[in-house]
């Protein structure tokens, strides 16, 4: 690889997938990921109460729902949340 080719590799913009990976990887250190915990817990508890008498229903774990929301939304950077 020539020096010119090496510099191209370092200036390449990250793909959307790579940016998403960075967001997920940084989740433990980013306090913004916890900003909606109370809301998610409340809403999941409401669904669990509503569906409790439904045959075959297994209660939802709010942490799983949180993971799904953040994975699908792209995390706090995509939500415009300030630190």
């Amino acid at each position: 690889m020539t020096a010119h080719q090496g510099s191209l590799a370092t200036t390449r913009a990250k793909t959307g997938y790579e940016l998403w990976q960075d967001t997920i990887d940084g989740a433990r250190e980013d306090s913004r990921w916890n900003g909606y915990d109370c809301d998610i817990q409340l809403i999941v508890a409401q669904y669990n109460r509503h569906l409790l008498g439904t045959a075959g229903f297994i209660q939802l774990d709010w942490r799983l729902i949180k993971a799904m929301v953040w994975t699908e939304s792209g995390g706090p950077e995509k939500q415009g949340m300030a630190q």
Side-chain angles (χ1 to χ4, degrees):
M1 181 182 290
T2 66
H4 177 70
Q5 288 173 329
S7 65
L8 288 178
T10 59
T11 59
R12 177 184 67 82
K14 289 186 175 186
T15 66
Y17 179 69
E18 290 169 329
L19 292 171
W20 174 83
Q21 284 178 316
D22 290 346
T23 301
I24 299 302
D25 292 342
R28 289 184 186 250
E29 292 80 30
D30 191 336
S31 63
R32 296 176 296 171
W33 284 80
N34 303 321
Y36 291 102
D37 283 3
C38 291
D39 294 326
I40 295 170
Q41 289 174 16
L42 178 66
I43 293 166
V44 170
Q46 290 172 346
Y47 273 98
N48 283 335
R49 278 192 303 277
H50 178 72
L51 297 170
L52 189 59
T54 304
F57 175 70
I58 298 171
Q59 287 200 3
L60 301 169
D61 183 333
W62 73 272
R63 293 166 294 195
L64 176 61
I65 303 304
K66 175 183 177 176
M68 291 168 57
V69 167
W70 285 116
T71 299
E72 293 298 323
S73 71
E77 293 300 324
K78 298 289 184 179
Q79 301 304 313
M81 296 171 56
Q83 279 192 355

